[in-house]
Amino acid sequence: MAERLVGADIAPPDLHAKITGRARYAEDFRAPGMVFAKLLLSPMPHARVRRVDASRALAMEGVIDILRADEVPSRDGPREACLTDTPRYEGEPILAVAAVDEETAAAAIEAIEIDFEPLPFVIDPLESLRPGGPNAYVDGNQFSGQDGWSDFKWTDTDFAKVDAGEMPDPSCPVEWTKGDPESAFAESALVLEETIVHQSLTHHPMEPRSNMAYWEGETLHAFVSTQSSQQTKFALAGALQIDPENINLVSEYCGGGFGSKIAGTTVMQIPALFSRKINRPVMLRITRYEENYVGRARPGFQTWLKMGFLQDGKCNAIDLIIVQESGPYGAGDFNTAGMIADLTYTPQNMRFRGVSMYTNTPPKAAQRGPGGAQIISMMEPILEKAGRELGVDRFEIHRMNAPRGDVQFGPRNATLTSVHAVEALDQGREMFDWDAKLAISGKRNGSKVTGVGIGLSPYTAGSRGRDGMMIIRPDGKLYVHQGIGNLGTHSIADTARPAAELLGYNWEDVEIVWGNSARAYPRSTVQAGSQTTTAHTRANHAAATDALRKIREVAAAALGGSASSYSVDSGRVSGPGGTMTLGRIAERAIAMGGEYSGEVLPDDVHAQTVPAAQILAGEGLMGIARDNYGGEGNIYSWVAGFAMVELDEETGVVELKEYVGVTDCGTVIHPRSLGAQVFGGSIQGMGMAMTQRWVFDPQWGVPFANRFYTARPPGFLDIPADLKWGAVGIPDPQDPVGAKGIGEPPVGAGAAALTSAIADAMGGRCVCRTPLTPDVLLAEIEGRPMYGRLEQHVG
Amino acid sequence: MDQAESVSVLEEKYSRRTFIKGVIATGATASSAGYLFRGSPLLGAATYQTATERLITLNVNGQERRVDVLPHETLAMTLRYKLGLTGTKLGCDRAECGACTVLIDGVSQYGCSMLTHQVRGRSVATIEGLEDADTGELSVVQKAVMEEGGFQCAFCAPGFIMAMTEMIEVNPNPTREEARLALSGNLCRCADYDKILTCAMRAAELARSV
């Protein structure tokens, strides 16, 4: 019998390359005659370039050429071009210079004379909502494709309330109501009202988005850092307005993205266009300093929350207003945050209002658990506060409010394929030993106080309808062509496992093909929103099912008997007529041609899959199919996080002592990697809750916190030695494999377990702002207001 | 300051202060964009006026390598762009992340914050040098990482593996807490710390059994 592949710890096939230095990330590629580009970044948050004199730079020895904004595709409205003469954040690339080495290019940048006209700017979105306040764009602060720019302001009445620390009643571009919140609040035994600030924070993957490009005739060879792969090729083609089949996209390894490199094509365009202009390979090495600006950030929220509870602790009404700090080019987090609040607390009565405000800060993008992580990290301690005030056990208040299988959420009453949040909570309670931990909550040891808390965090975890493509070659091996990216989740290998198992393969006979678009990929997902595990276990399962049918038919044709009487195991197919190796089957499939060798394709595969399949046709037995398994409802995964902290009341320093994360993500394919996702995401959430932020000089609109050490992600000494994870392990019933994604939900769980535990250590007080740096906590402990209630980007 | 003097100043010690003073003294581009390098073969003869003075011998992974190095060039840049050893990664350019960690005479150092001239006459080990040159057999640290399935995106992996390589020499029998301290100069943004720690403990175990 072939080995079990689903549920086993198998190191991914690229690990050997990663640990020997052979793995090539984008900046590791070289090409003959390669030159270096450097960027001139805007020194102002909003400006217009009046004049550029590059003559001195261009005369420098070794300088090749300059690339200006008018030579790259321009974008109308609040959309980002790769170079611009109207920069909308400090650090936005204005132009690029290429030279034979990087230092010469940098010296040339310094030699460029450039004159800017400063324009009004906005760092804090509330300022742009104020009557008479500045806008991030010259033409306004709201944009619609139909009506263009407009000037959206709240009223003086709204701001009278805001300034008094009360919840305003403003109009917002996005608004939905379900149930009857007003009547429900009247019935609530407890109504909590809070104002909340959640900071913006940079993604900061370890690998900055350096990339290199050159052209051979009409063909662009792009060596890039991207989370996705097949879809990035199409996105880059769209950005450059060229035929996708003229791009050879090399994306073998990606040193992390966390949402900032879903496609990541903005910066990629620069070497591609520059290389075409000067007819030489161009390397654009992005430094950490530059990555800080061009590398994307999670949008910040300024939020008013009113939450009603019945006597038994059940949340019965939510009123939520979110002002989102969206940078110059927008983001969608706030919409998701409203949905997630409704899903996690099942109030039945909810009003949501939200406004996305353009600001002159570095661009925002989805960051792991976008919207969900922010709102969960803020609302979970408030839920626990309600438990405390109503005398309901804090674990029980999470459990009773968590959704069951029949949940309907959001304005359109969305449903879920499966939900086992309650099981995740129950398992976590046991693993963490919640009852014993609760007994030491509030215990003092000198100036240190122990706190415990829980964070329950959902997020989308799958999509459907992609294509799978694999081929069994005459060498008998199974080649799974994976158009998804290789960003560290191991999904290039793990999503092939159920398919390989279906075909009776041992893992040593499975080859994963990935990372270079010349190698042919089926239509794939973008690697985002935790879709990949579900989408591509399904698509590969469909393709393997197609391959299995063809193997049986080829065997029956060769050996006699009915196709259905043949079965596969360990590289052989056996039945009433005898046995054959799958290598022999592949040879016969090539001879038979037609659908067996991929010369005839299913009608329903995506148009993007067809040219890829044509590359492989005739080389073996092809399994190719669209995922037609269908399904109703949204696919969501969950993580229940449990944290214990010690807060030092003299210093404001929080030490995380223990953490347990339990996930509901369906079938577990790769336990060790799943544990790494639960911990990794949770720890990223802890960095969000504790340390990472932007801090701007409000007068000039430039950030102070712009490197690792000023906006520090968690290091080895920030995490507890005692980490545990678990999985509920109940397969999703609407899925052939039953697996759901896991990337997003742990971020909110880690952050919220921490914010809840810190509130617990402070006797139940919710600070309602992140990050909870020692100075913020000390101010709260000492009862001294640090700054106003709602400023964004101050610390 | 002529070049011979500047190099002697740089070799005083490995402190970051010395490093920064050295970079300034040698007239590197003082750019906030990070440490850069000059010296493309495409630049032609003009910048190579002092080429003979700059041609030095480095001992990298047990091999003598002749390389043309500018006075202010960092070791990470020399390794990556002159010697083709791209396993050493640049994550921050500024001693904040440890992705460029290499061993100098067995001691872990940030390659972004060492001048190449500082390591003349010393032994430099990079990720590419850990395998047995003849058999391709992995080092005990690499074997441990394979066994435990370490790292996610792995951009930090070469730096961590070099730090682990030093750790098992200095402290062959660490506790998890000691291992954590030993590796705390390296950042993993995927936050795969738990698994990295397990790899480090397994590496120490394997090293003890050799």
Side-chain angles (χ1 to χ4, degrees):
Chain A
M1 274 291 285
E3 61 194 322
R4 289 293 309 218
L5 301 177
V6 172
D9 283 330
I10 304 171
D14 62 346
L15 185 57
H16 189 274
K18 283 173 169 174
I19 65 168
T20 54
R22 289 187 177 85
R24 283 192 297 178
Y25 298 74
E27 199 209 318
D28 300 336
F29 289 92
R30 304 285 179 267
M34 185 175 92
V35 299
F36 291 80
K38 282 304 284 181
L39 302 172
L40 191 155
L41 305 182
S42 173
M44 298 175 191
H46 192 194
R48 201 177 277 128
V49 173
R50 269 198 292 238
R51 187 183 62 88
V52 173
D53 180 356
S55 55
R56 216 155 52 85
L58 289 169
M60 289 169 69
E61 181 165 16
V63 172
I64 295 163
D65 212 337
I66 186 170
L67 188 71
R68 294 290 312 276
D70 59 6
E71 299 172 272
V72 306
S74 63
R75 314 285 302 274
D76 296 333
R79 296 197 305 156
E80 188 177 19
C82 63
L83 298 171
T84 180
D85 281 340
T86 51
R88 293 156 188 141
Y89 64 95
E90 196 232 3
E92 184 154 26
I94 307 286
L95 57 82
V97 168
V100 293
D101 59 44
E102 199 177 14
E103 190 174 318
T104 304
I109 291 286
E110 299 295 321
I112 287 173
E113 286 174 33
I114 185 162
D115 182 18
F116 291 96
E117 175 193 354
L119 295 171
F121 64 89
V122 177
I123 299 301
D124 186 331
L126 277 189
E127 290 310 305
S128 190
L129 276 174
R130 263 183 209 278
N135 294 332
Y137 282 78
V138 173
D139 300 320
N141 63 4
Q142 293 287 315
F143 183 83
S144 90
Q146 284 184 333
D147 307 325
W149 285 103
S150 59
D151 197 10
F152 180 79
K153 303 288 174 191
W154 285 359
T155 64
D156 287 326
T157 314
D158 295 330
F159 271 96
K161 290 221 166 190
V162 168
D163 296 337
E166 292 168 20
M167 187 166 186
D169 188 21
S171 69
C172 284
V174 175
E175 182 165 354
W176 53 263
T177 303
K178 62 189 283 186
D180 182 356
E182 205 173 326
S183 308
F185 278 119
E187 291 165 13
S188 299
L190 172 71
V191 177
L192 295 178
E193 265 194 60
E194 305 282 356
T195 59
I196 297 170
V197 181
H198 193 290
Q199 88 277 30
S200 168
L201 65 155
T202 305
H203 294 64
H204 273 317
M206 286 298 289
E207 182 200 16
R209 58 205 62 225
S210 300
N211 67 107
M212 190 266 281
Y214 63 84
W215 294 76
E216 277 181 329
E218 289 299 303
T219 301
L220 168 67
H221 298 266
F223 302 79
V224 302
S225 181
T226 179
Q227 291 172 220
S228 312
S229 185
Q230 190 258 358
Q231 285 297 300
T232 302
K233 178 176 98 165
F234 286 87
L236 183 59
L240 295 172
Q241 295 151 16
I242 62 175
D243 181 350
E245 297 313 311
N246 283 343
I247 296 183
N248 179 30
L249 189 95
V250 179
S251 55
E252 293 174 8
Y253 295 88
C254 172
F258 316 119
S260 72
K261 300 175 185 167
I262 293 173
T265 52
T266 304
V267 171
M268 276 175 213
Q269 295 170 50
I270 298 168
L273 294 165
F274 217 161
S275 167
R276 188 164 65 184
K277 179 176 181 182
I278 64 178
N279 199 23
R280 278 179 165 184
V282 174
M283 168 70 80
L284 177 64
R285 199 174 74 83
I286 297 292
T287 65
R288 178 58 50 189
Y289 175 84
E290 290 161 339
E291 176 72 14
N292 185 69
Y293 292 101
V294 302
R296 317 290 105 167
R298 183 190 292 276
F301 286 174
Q302 287 142 311
T303 294
W304 293 264
L305 171 69
K306 193 170 149 189
M307 213 170 170
F309 296 87
L310 302 175
Q311 191 62 49
D312 64 359
K314 181 74 200 77
C315 173
N316 73 330
I318 290 176
D319 192 359
L320 179 64
I321 302 170
I322 297 178
V323 176
Q324 176 175 282
E325 195 260 308
S326 304
Y329 303 116
D333 290 40
F334 70 114
N335 282 311
T336 311
M339 297 276 283
I340 295 265
D342 191 23
L343 170 61
T344 311
Y345 306 108
T346 57
Q348 311 304 324
N349 305 287
M350 176 161 171
R351 176 162 63 161
F352 173 74
R353 283 170 287 180
V355 56
S356 171
M357 296 299 294
Y358 294 112
T359 50
N360 300 104
T361 61
K364 305 301 180 276
Q367 183 180 112
R368 217 165 165 182
Q374 291 103 308
I375 202 70
I376 289 295
S377 79
M378 290 304 186
M379 287 182 74
E380 289 289 84
I382 296 167
L383 179 77
E384 294 201 354
K385 181 179 182 179
R388 237 181 236 103
E389 297 203 5
L390 291 166
V392 178
D393 176 80
R394 283 192 284 139
F395 175 84
E396 287 304 327
I397 203 165
H398 286 281
R399 194 179 194 279
M400 82 169 66
N401 283 295
R404 272 57 174 178
D406 59 353
V407 66
Q408 297 192 330
F409 66 103
R412 282 182 286 281
N413 289 321
T415 59
L416 297 181
T417 56
S418 67
V419 49
H420 301 288
V422 168
E423 288 87 341
L425 282 167
D426 288 346
Q427 194 173 325
R429 174 187 197 156
E430 204 165 299
M431 287 177 70
F432 185 70
D433 201 354
W434 170 259
D435 300 323
K437 296 283 164 41
L438 203 55
I440 55 170
S441 150
K443 193 175 143 244
R444 282 180 176 278
N445 175 15
S447 59
K448 292 179 178 173
V449 189
T450 297
V452 294
I454 299 171
L456 177 66
S457 170
Y459 213 82
T460 58
S463 62
R464 310 180 179 100
R466 312 302 166 180
D467 292 344
M469 184 169 75
M470 53 192 64
I471 188 163
I472 298 168
R473 292 179 182 271
D475 63 6
K477 290 190 172 189
L478 174 68
Y479 294 81
V480 182
H481 286 246
Q482 294 277 44
I484 54 179
N486 189 21
L487 70 167
T489 59
H490 309 158
S491 45
I492 52 161
D494 294 347
T495 63
R497 287 205 215 172
E501 196 173 276
L502 184 70
L503 293 172
Y505 265 91
N506 290 307
W507 192 243
E508 62 186 16
D509 294 322
V510 179
E511 299 286 339
I512 305 298
V513 183
W514 92 95
N516 183 326
S517 63
R519 295 176 191 142
Y521 303 117
R523 162 81 168 175
S524 307
T525 56
V526 288
Q527 191 110 342
S530 306
Q531 296 174 73
T532 317
T533 296
T534 308
H536 284 278
T537 52
R538 290 167 66 102
N540 285 326
H541 190 277
T545 304
D546 180 59
L548 183 59
R549 174 183 64 80
K550 290 171 180 170
I551 291 168
R552 286 170 161 164
E553 288 175 8
V554 173
L559 300 169
S562 73
S564 62
S565 58
Y566 281 85
S567 61
V568 288
D569 186 32
S570 298
R572 301 189 75 85
V573 56
S574 309
T579 177
M580 279 175 86
T581 65
L582 293 182
R584 289 281 296 141
I585 290 285
E587 286 172 5
R588 287 193 160 261
I590 294 169
M592 288 166 74
E595 65 163 343
Y596 297 102
S597 63
E599 264 133 314
V600 174
L601 302 174
D603 294 335
D604 60 351
V605 296
H606 195 276
Q608 292 174 359
T609 304
V610 174
Q614 285 166 346
I615 294 173
L616 298 182
E619 295 184 6
L621 183 141
M622 186 183 287
I624 181 167
R626 181 179 187 273
D627 157 17
N628 287 324
Y629 293 110
E632 282 177 16
N634 295 274
I635 305 163
Y636 269 66
S637 284
W638 296 76
V639 172
F642 294 72
M644 182 167 80
V645 300
E646 263 185 10
L647 166 68
D648 189 327
E649 291 190 336
E650 282 180 4
T651 61
V653 170
V654 172
E655 193 182 346
L656 182 58
K657 306 298 280 187
E658 281 183 42
Y659 180 74
V660 170
V662 177
T663 175
D664 159 33
C665 63
T667 303
V668 176
I669 293 175
H670 186 172
R672 194 162 57 192
S673 188
L674 173 57
Q677 288 296 315
V678 171
F679 289 156
S682 296
I683 294 168
Q684 286 190 349
M686 294 165 192
M688 179 175 96
M690 299 297 297
T691 56
Q692 291 173 261
R693 82 278 195 229
W694 286 89
V695 180
F696 278 83
D697 175 342
Q699 187 175 357
W700 302 106
V702 299
F704 298 125
N706 53 17
R707 294 193 65 93
F708 276 147
Y709 78 93
T710 46
R712 200 170 57 84
F716 236 123
L717 303 181
D718 298 309
I719 57 146
D722 192 358
L723 291 163
K724 292 194 191 80
W725 72 276
V728 172
I730 302 172
D732 189 288
Q734 293 195 25
D735 191 280
V737 177
K740 303 189 283 188
I742 187 55
E744 327 281 325
V747 180
L754 209 50
T755 52
S756 295
I758 291 168
D760 184 42
M762 304 215 312
R765 272 177 297 167
C766 297
V767 179
C768 292
R769 76 171 58 234
T770 52
L772 293 169
T773 49
D775 55 329
V776 169
L777 292 174
L778 266 189
E780 182 70 23
I781 290 164
E782 293 168 0
R784 119 184 103 74
M786 257 196 74
Y787 28 68
R789 296 181 66 83
L790 276 163
E791 278 88 347
Q792 186 66 272
H793 291 314
V794 290
Chain B
M1 188 184 288
D2 74 18
Q3 186 171 317
E5 279 170 4
S6 76
V7 168
S8 74
V9 167
L10 299 176
E11 287 182 23
E12 270 176 14
K13 53 181 180 177
Y14 294 142
S15 79
R16 181 159 173 79
R17 177 182 297 261
T18 307
F19 169 75
I20 292 167
K21 275 161 56 187
V23 170
I24 294 165
T26 52
T29 304
S31 164
S32 58
Y35 299 130
L36 310 175
F37 72 105
R38 186 191 287 270
S40 168
L42 299 172
L43 199 53
T47 48
Y48 277 64
Q49 290 158 355
T50 58
T52 47
E53 298 165 49
R54 302 196 319 219
L55 199 60
I56 64 171
T57 302
L58 295 178
N59 184 315
V60 181
N61 299 328
Q63 292 184 324
E64 302 283 311
R65 303 283 300 267
R66 293 283 282 169
V67 59
D68 176 12
V69 175
L70 287 153
H72 58 270
E73 190 168 311
T74 66
L75 179 57
M77 278 299 189
T78 307
L79 293 171
R80 288 185 53 77
Y81 283 95
K82 302 272 178 76
L83 299 178
L85 297 171
T86 54
T88 299
K89 302 301 180 202
L90 281 167
C92 71
D93 311 284
R94 292 241 171 143
E96 293 179 278
C97 79
C100 61
T101 302
V102 295
L103 302 186
I104 311 295
D105 291 338
V107 178
S108 61
Q109 300 277 349
Y110 293 155
C112 74
S113 301
M114 299 283 293
L115 295 182
T116 308
H117 280 277
Q118 287 175 289
V119 303
R120 283 191 302 174
R122 294 171 183 274
S123 142
V124 180
T126 73
I127 187 78
E128 291 91 345
L130 294 185
E131 290 162 86
D132 185 290
D134 298 323
T135 64
E137 188 185 352
L138 297 176
S139 75
V140 288
V141 173
Q142 289 168 317
K143 281 180 191 164
V145 175
M146 285 299 285
E147 279 182 26
E148 300 295 340
F151 300 104
Q152 295 181 32
C153 84
F155 198 76
C156 67
F160 265 109
I161 288 170
M162 298 316 287
M164 287 182 202
T165 302
E166 180 196 36
M167 183 199 80
I168 60 171
E169 288 294 323
V170 174
N171 182 1
N173 196 8
T175 62
R176 271 179 92 86
E177 187 56 35
E178 287 166 350
R180 201 159 78 119
L181 278 168
L183 302 176
S184 61
N186 293 64
L187 195 66
C188 169
R189 190 67 182 104
C190 303
D192 205 9
Y193 294 118
D194 191 67
K195 195 141 54 67
I196 292 170
L197 203 49
T198 302
C199 293
M201 296 304 287
R202 178 66 182 146
E205 196 180 350
L206 285 176
R208 290 196 301 273
S209 66
V210 171

